[in-house]
């Protein structure tokens, strides 16, 4: 049998267990060489140098010991002075000299008290010991720092002072007779100053922190001043031993009086050595101190520019937030401060601004105001430097706001800077909450770790899209995210300004249901029941809830949702419940309830009530399948007496399951989708519902949309050019049934995708989908076209709003809305507010050419909204300008809210949404709610924002409270506001001012009467003989209109009251009509030139004398009334205001509400 052990080779020696225990000795027989590194540090000198100089901690201990020795020597000197008596003459006795007390004449000096002092033996022993240690340490450090030049070490001032103070004491050891010899030990104070400076440097090196230059300079200045005073005190006191024999206190008094330039003269030096010392010290002070003060002043000015540091003690005892920006403008600063400090619990917070640029002059003036100087601290520095983040005490901050610079030419580069700042802050202070503003949606996924993120282009385009289908959505969101008390314009004589200003104070608040007085009684009730009764009883609008164990917020979850005690309720009100006082009014409430109660003979089930009253026409897709009658709030069928007032079904506490029909989102059960018509089938309008298969950027929220079964070829997306699939070259040829929505943008950025998605969301009925035309300055890339080719009726065209031909080709005469997006290339200008100049002028041209077109504009600066639809002679606009100035003087944060374009939702600035990020610090849910309202996010079971028109047939509802009940009981919708349009009403003074201005405008044309009549006749003959009307038609119309206006002015030269107002108004209308006719002829001629039919162009219809505004959560008793109507304004008027106030003017309106939907299937794939 083979021995297996013999076949296994033995282990090498170095792998044996014995070698592991005893060490490997086999390396000695190898040819390897052991190399020891840093052998020079093993010498004795290098080890001493490492201990005394190089090592920070040990060097710091040596410096501290040296500093203590110098202070001890100065302290021993003071003790010796206090124990010394110059009259005893001890020194004379020791030298066997004759020494007697005698009176000195002014010309003679007894030098013995100056040379000799009384020093006791213990004190001498202590001073000798200190001198020996100090001298030994000095010699050792000089040896260790020796670099080849011995004289450089010897001639240093600290070394010379050390020799002067230490060597005489060592000599007295060997020559006892000299023990009482005077030695200027007080000069050790300068050595103590030198040791203190070195010690501070070593201290900062040891703790790995950079010292403050300001702190070092102040320390040097103070120590220099103290050393000068101490040297002067000790020198004067010692020299005057031969004169006035001053004490230390007398010397201190003399030095302070002398250096302060007071000079009382009661204490003066008597002998010339002391006088010479005073002269020398004054000269030294005059040379040294100004240099120190100059350096200190320079550092102080530099610190004022950079902002200094935020105190560590303050950071640990007080709360602060940090604002990081690349450049700080006064508008951004004031928006942040006004919104941040609008909340009561933030009054004690400090704001630390970290900005890499120097403080602007305007910002400096604002921060010097006492209101802000005690709260705001400006630091010049970069968020990418840990040193600057340490100055701002970022690790102790309650939050960090990082804002992007939207005025940069390259917005992508601005986002990259923001991303790096966010990464740097997260790396330095991982526990600090981050509030980040980003510009481009494709960069959002880089900062997913941030607690709150606002993407500017996402919100901007979604808001612009909803403005087209829900009027004034931008105004609604802006007012909700601004903090206000609703006190704006409450002293105005205009009723609409009072209502609009009061309703603008509504905000979104939250409270736990079991802790709430508003909602606690509705535990176990349905959501719609709680919302309606809370609005009826308290005037608050409950819009959403959130379960305790769920982070998702549900907007209007519908009547199926049952309220729980742990739910968080979100409601709209002027103020939060904690700041409200409750006063019960039992009688009024009972009377009101009796009026609003259901008067039916029996309590009908909900489905029969809906059938008897008609369905609410609203953009809905869930609880009930709508009929083909269209969107109306129909009058209930009158089965009883004719004079009986119609009633509304009550809102049930718990929804009846039989009344709520479930509608599958993937099955076409809506009124426009149940049975597609032959036209739809032939036109290929069969759409699928699903998630878009392609997203242009990472991080976009999936939204259930109307999609095509097959994607459209890229060539078919071009509106103005035919292809092999179709031959249409303009919008008219397509024959769209609904009006267009045109978007004018510079480039097809990824944010434009968020404009299309809300307009193609699954809850929008197919028959109400508007075609979307993208008017782009630059051609889109394939990446963007691949994302939009799945959506129905989406086209693009390369052109500009500067070109009238491009506007006509893209179908501006058939458009319902024209959306003008601010161009990135114009956002930066030498003068900040001029960035919107091109956009404003282009929109003004559109407004003059197409007065009936609804134009929605985005601006960079909110202050430029006053130039939108500008009329130089419009007295009403001038009155609103004065109102804005008054509100700004009162400190209002929303002074621009009364500008008619903003109130109507036709203009907004994305900078107004900066407050959304600021408000999220107090209300962390605001970004989520805003995204749900805008359709950027979809939560299963959550509702969406929609609008409905109130027709003349709906006025039987009467009040907003009854409308609230009607919607809650029938469809479960929650109304949140009313959009109202009414005619302008001028006061008497404004009418007179307009009359005077119109008279001036007409008198300017009076010179035409002086022309010869023959000239007019010849002009008319030329006109008749002309074959084209575009060259001669409009001058004649203008001339005739001016003649009619002059005749009116001649016939009625002086009038007062209503007659004068009517005549002046007619005169202005004639002038404006002639101008419109000129513009109309221009447009029609261009349409004929392009081969387009001018039949659809309506040049006379405009909104010149109307104003629109939104009322957020109006009071329940706001009435719905049909008021007096001017018959010639519109021939057939059947739309009136919902929840409108009483005013004798024409009105129309939309109702804004949150509709609840069924849950969207999460696993369903796009139906393609």
């Amino acid at each position: 049998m083979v021995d297996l052990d013999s076949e296994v080779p033995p282990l090498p020696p170095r792998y044996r267990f014995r070698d592991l225990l005893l060490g490997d000795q086999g390396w000695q027989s190898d040819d390897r060489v052991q190399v020891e590194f840093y052998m020079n540090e093993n010498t004795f000198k290098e080890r001493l140098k490492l201990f005394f100089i190089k090592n920070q901690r040990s060097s710091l201990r040596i410096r501290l010991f040296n500093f203590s020795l110098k202070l001890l020597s100065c302290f021993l000197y003071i003790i010796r002075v206090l124990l010394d008596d110059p009259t005893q003459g001890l020194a004379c006795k020791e030298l066997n000299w004759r020494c007697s007390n005698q009176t000195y004449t002014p010309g003679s000096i007894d030098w013995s008290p100056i040379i000799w002092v009384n020093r006791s033996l213990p004190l001498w022993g202590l001073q000798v010991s200190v001198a020996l240690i100090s001298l030994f340490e000095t010699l050792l450090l000089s040896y260790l720092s020796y670099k080849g030049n011995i004289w450089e070490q010897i001639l240093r001032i600290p070394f010379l002072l050390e020799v002067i103070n230490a060597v005489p004491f060592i000599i007295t050891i060997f020559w006892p007779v000299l023990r009482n010899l005077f030695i200027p030990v007080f000069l050790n104070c300068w050595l103590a100053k030198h040791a203190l400076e070195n010690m501070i440097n070593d201290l900062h090196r040891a703790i790995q922190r950079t010292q403050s230059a300001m702190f070092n300079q102040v320390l040097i200045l103070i120590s220099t001043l103290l050393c000068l005073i101490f040297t002067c005190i000790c020198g004067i006191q010692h020299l005057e031993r031969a004169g006035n024999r001053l004490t230390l206190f007398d010397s201190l008094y003399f030095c302070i009086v002398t250096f302060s330039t007071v000079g009382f003269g009661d204490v003066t030096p008597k002998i010339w050595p002391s006088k010479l010392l005073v002269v020398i010290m004054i000269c030294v002070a005059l040379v040294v101190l100004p240099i120190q003060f100059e350096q200190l002043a320079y550092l102080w000015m530099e610190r004022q520019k950079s902002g200094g540091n935020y105190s560590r003690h303050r950071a640990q005892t007080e709360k602060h937030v940090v604002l990081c920006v690349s450049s700080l403008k006064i508008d951004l600063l004031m928006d942040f401060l006004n919104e941040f400090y609008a909340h009561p619990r933030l009054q004690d917070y400090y704001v630390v601004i970290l900005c890499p640029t120097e403080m602007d002059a305007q910002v400096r003036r604002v921060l010097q105001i006492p209101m802000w100087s005690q709260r705001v601290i400006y630091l010049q520095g970069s968020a990418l430097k840990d040193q600057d983040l340490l100055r701002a005490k970022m690790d102790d901050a309650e939050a960090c706001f990082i804002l992007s610079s939207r005025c940069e030419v390259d917005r992508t580069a601005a986002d990259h800077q923001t991303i790096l700042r966010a990464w740097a802050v997260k790396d330095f202070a991982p526990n600090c909450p981050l509030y980040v503003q980003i510009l481009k949606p494709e960069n959002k996924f880089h900062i997913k770790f941030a607690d709150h993120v606002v993407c500017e282009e996402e919100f901007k385009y979604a808001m612009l899209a909803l403005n087209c289908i829900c009027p004034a959505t931008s105004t609604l969101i802006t007012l909700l995210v601004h903090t206000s008390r609703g006190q704006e314009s409450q002293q105005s004589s205009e009723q609409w300004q009072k209502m609009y200003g009061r309703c603008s104070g509504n905000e979104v608040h939250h409270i736990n249901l079991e802790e709430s007085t508003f909602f606690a009684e509705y535990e176990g009730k349905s959501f719609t029941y709680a919302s309606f009764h809370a609005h009826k009883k308290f005037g608050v609008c409950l819009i959403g809830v959130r379960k305790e164990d769920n982070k998702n917020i549900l907007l209007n979850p519908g009547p199926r949702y049952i309220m729980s005690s742990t739910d968080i309720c979100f409601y709209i009100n002027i103020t939060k419940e904690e700041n409200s006082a409750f006063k019960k009014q039992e009688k009024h409430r009972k009377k009101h309830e009796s009026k609003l109660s259901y008067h039916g003979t029996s309590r009908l089930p909900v489905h029969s009530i809906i059938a008897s009253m008609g369905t609410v026409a609203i953009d809905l897709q869930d609880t009930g399948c709508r009929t083909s009658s269209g969107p109306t709030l129909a009058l209930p069928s009158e089965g009883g007496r004719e004079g009986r007032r119609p009633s509304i079904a009550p809102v049930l506490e718990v929804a009846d399951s039989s009344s709520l029909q479930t509608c599958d989102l993937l099955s076409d059960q809506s009124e426009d989708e149940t049975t597609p018509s032959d036209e739809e089938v032939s036109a290929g309008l069969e759409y699928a519902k699903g998630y878009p298969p392609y997203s242009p950027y990472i991080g976009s929220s999936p939204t259930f949309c109307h999609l095509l079964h097959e994607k459209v070829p890229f060539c078919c997306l071009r509106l103005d050019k035919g292809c092999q699939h179709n031959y249409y070259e303009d919008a008219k040829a397509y024959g769209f049934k609904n009006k267009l929505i045109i978007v004018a943008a510079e480039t097809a950025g990824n944010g434009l995708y968020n404009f299309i998605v809300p307009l193609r969301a699954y809850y929008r009925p197919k028959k109400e989908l508007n075609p979307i035309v993208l008017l782009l300055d630059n051609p889109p890339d394939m990446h963007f076209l691949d994302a939009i080719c799945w959506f129905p009726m989406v086209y693009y065209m390369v052109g500009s709003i500067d070109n009238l031909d491009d506007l006509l080709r893209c179908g501006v005469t058939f458009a319902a809305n024209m959306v003008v997006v601010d161009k990135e290339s114009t956002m930066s200008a030498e003068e900040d507010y001029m960035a919107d100049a091109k956009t404003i002028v282009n929109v003004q041209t559109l407004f003059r050419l197409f007065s009936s077109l609804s134009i929605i504009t985005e601006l960079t600066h909110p202050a430029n909204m006053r130039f939108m639809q500008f009329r130089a002679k419009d007295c009403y606009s001038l009155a609103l300008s004065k109102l804005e100035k008054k509100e700004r003087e009162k400190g209002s944060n929303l002074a621009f809210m009364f500008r008619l374009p903003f109130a109507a939702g036709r203009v907004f600035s994305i900078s107004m949404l900066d407050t959304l990020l600021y408000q999220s610090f107090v209300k962390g849910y605001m970004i989520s709610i805003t995204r749900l309202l805008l359709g950027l996010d979809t939560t299963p079971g959550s509702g969406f924002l929609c609008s409905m028109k109130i027709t003349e047939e709906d006025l039987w509802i009467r009040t907003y409270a009854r409308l609230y009940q009607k919607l809650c009981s029938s469809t479960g919708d929650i109304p949140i506001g009313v959009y109202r349009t009414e005619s302008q009403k001028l006061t008497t003074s404004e009418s007179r001012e307009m009359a005077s201005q119109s008279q001036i405008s007409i008198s300017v044309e009076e010179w035409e009467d002086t022309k010869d009549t023959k000239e007019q006749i010849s002009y008319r003959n030329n006109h008749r003989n002309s074959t084209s009307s575009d060259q001669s038609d409009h001058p004649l119309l203008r001339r005739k209109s001016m003649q009619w206006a002059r005749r009116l002015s001649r016939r009625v030269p002086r009038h007062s009251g209503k007659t004068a107002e009517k005549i002046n108004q007619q005169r202005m209308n004639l002038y404006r009509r002639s101008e419109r006719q000129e513009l109309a002829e221009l447009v029609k001629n261009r349409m004929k030139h392009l081969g387009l039919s001018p039949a659809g162009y309506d040049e006379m219809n405009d909104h010149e004398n109307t104003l629109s505004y939104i009322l957020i959560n109006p009071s329940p008793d706001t009435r719905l009334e049909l008021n007096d109507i001017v018959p010639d304004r519109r021939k057939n008027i059947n739309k009136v205001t919902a929840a409108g106030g009483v005013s004798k003017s024409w009105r129309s309106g939309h109702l804004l509400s949150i509709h609840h939907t069924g849950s969207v299937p999460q696993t369903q794939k796009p139906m393609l």
Side-chain angles (χ1 to χ4, degrees), residues 187-200:
L187 294 179
N188 277 330
C189 65
W190 296 98
L191 295 176
K193 170 182 171 294
H194 181 69
L196 179 63
E197 295 177 7
N198 294 333
M199 183 178 66
I200 294 299

Side-chain angles (χ1 to χ4, degrees), residues 841-1071:
V841 174
N842 289 336
V843 172
Q844 182 71 5
T845 304
L846 283 173
F847 174 67
R848 301 294 295 275
L849 291 175
F850 309 98
S851 56
S852 61
L853 180 63
S854 176
I855 307 173
I856 303 171
T857 312
E858 181 219 353
L859 297 179
T860 302
H861 299 283
N864 290 331
M865 289 190 301
R866 64 184 186 273
F867 302 120
M868 300 305 300
Q869 301 179 6
F870 184 75
R871 300 184 183 95
K873 298 179 181 180
D874 190 354
C875 299
Y876 200 78
S877 298
L878 296 177
L880 292 178
S881 178
K882 295 179 181 178
L883 176 62
E884 179 181 349
K885 295 176 183 177
K886 291 180 181 178
E887 294 299 331
R888 186 177 288 107
E889 291 174 357
K890 294 179 182 178
S892 173
N893 300 337
L894 298 171
F896 54 82
M897 61 177 289
F898 293 100
R899 290 288 181 177
L900 294 182
F902 173 77
R906 297 191 181 101
V907 63
F908 87 103
S909 175
I910 193 61
S911 63
M912 295 186 298
L913 279 187
D914 290 346
T915 56
L916 174 62
L917 191 66
Y918 312 152
Q919 203 174 88
S920 299
F921 180 67
V922 178
K923 304 175 182 178
Y925 50 83
M926 278 305 300
I927 295 179
S928 299
I929 289 181
T930 306
R931 293 183 65 89
L932 289 173
L933 286 174
L934 296 179
L936 291 173
D937 289 339
T938 55
T939 302
S942 181
F944 58 89
L945 185 66
C946 62
S947 67
M948 62 174 296
K949 293 182 179 179
I950 305 299
T951 63
E952 186 177 3
E953 298 176 354
D954 304 326
L955 291 182
W956 62 272
I957 301 178
R958 288 195 170 187
T959 63
Y960 185 75
R962 288 170 56 82
L963 181 64
Y964 209 114
Q965 181 182 359
K966 168 68 175 174
L967 293 177
C968 289
S969 61
S970 57
T971 62
D973 293 345
I974 304 298
I976 62 174
V978 172
Y979 179 73
R980 176 179 301 171
T981 301
E982 64 181 39
S983 61
Q984 297 180 9
K985 288 181 59 181
L986 300 180
T987 61
T988 304
S989 60
E990 293 169 347
S991 299
R992 291 175 180 174
E993 187 176 355
M994 177 180 287
S996 63
Q997 292 185 0
S998 63
Q999 182 68 33
I1000 294 173
S1001 64
I1002 293 175
S1003 64
V1004 173
E1005 305 290 341
E1006 291 286 345
W1007 63 274
E1008 293 186 359
D1009 284 341
T1010 61
K1011 286 193 173 184
D1012 192 14
T1013 308
K1014 294 182 179 181
E1015 182 182 352
Q1016 298 180 9
I1017 295 174
S1018 63
Y1019 171 80
R1020 292 171 186 171
N1021 292 334
N1022 292 334
H1023 168 66
R1024 293 193 183 112
N1025 296 330
S1026 177
T1027 57
S1028 61
S1029 61
D1030 59 334
Q1031 300 294 330
S1032 57
D1033 190 18
H1034 56 86
L1036 177 60
L1037 293 175
R1038 182 178 182 87
R1039 187 180 300 275
K1040 285 183 177 181
S1041 63
M1042 301 313 303
Q1043 291 176 359
W1044 294 337
R1046 286 195 297 272
R1047 290 172 185 173
L1048 286 174
S1049 63
R1050 289 168 185 162
R1051 291 178 182 178
V1052 191
R1054 295 181 182 177
H1055 285 279
S1056 60
K1058 296 183 178 179
T1059 306
E1061 294 178 9
K1062 292 181 180 179
I1063 293 175
N1064 291 325
Q1065 186 65 31
Q1066 292 176 3
R1067 191 179 300 133
M1068 285 297 298
N1069 290 337
L1070 287 174
Y1071 176 75

Side-chain angles (χ1 to χ4, degrees), residues 275-404:
K275 293 179 181 179
L276 180 61
L277 178 63
V278 172
V279 172
I280 294 174
M281 297 305 297
I282 291 177
C283 293
V284 172
L286 290 177
V287 173
V288 175
L289 293 182
I291 296 176
Q292 301 291 335
F293 278 112
E294 181 184 4
Q295 295 178 357
L296 182 62
Y298 174 77
L299 291 175
W300 176 259
M301 293 176 62
E302 291 297 322
R303 180 176 181 178
Q304 288 297 104
K305 293 180 181 180
S306 63
N309 298 329
Y310 184 67
S311 170
R312 171 65 65 178
H313 174 73
R314 180 183 292 179
Q316 294 176 350
T317 56
E318 304 288 345
K319 296 181 179 180
H320 76 284
V321 298
V322 181
L323 176 64
C324 294
V325 291
S326 58
S327 61
L328 186 63
K329 302 296 182 181
I330 186 63
D331 294 337
L332 185 146
L333 175 63
M334 295 311 301
D335 287 343
F336 178 84
L337 295 180
N338 289 331
E339 182 62 34
F340 186 81
Y341 286 111
H343 301 276
R345 73 182 186 91
L346 301 182
Q347 298 302 313
D348 295 333
Y349 277 65
Y350 287 88
V351 174
V352 179
I353 301 173
L354 186 61
C355 180
T357 60
E358 189 176 345
M359 191 186 308
D360 185 65
Q362 291 182 336
V363 175
R364 188 183 303 276
R365 286 195 296 268
V366 170
L367 295 186
Q368 288 176 351
I369 300 175
M371 179 180 180
W372 306 122
S373 61
Q374 303 299 325
R375 298 177 173 183
V376 183
I377 300 171
Y378 187 94
L379 303 181
Q380 182 179 352
S382 173
L384 301 183
K385 297 181 179 179
D386 288 350
Q387 175 185 352
D388 294 331
L389 294 178
L390 182 63
R391 290 170 52 206
K393 305 300 181 291
M394 186 67 73
D395 50 344
D396 294 326
E398 299 294 322
C400 177
F401 296 89
I402 303 178
L403 305 183
S404 297

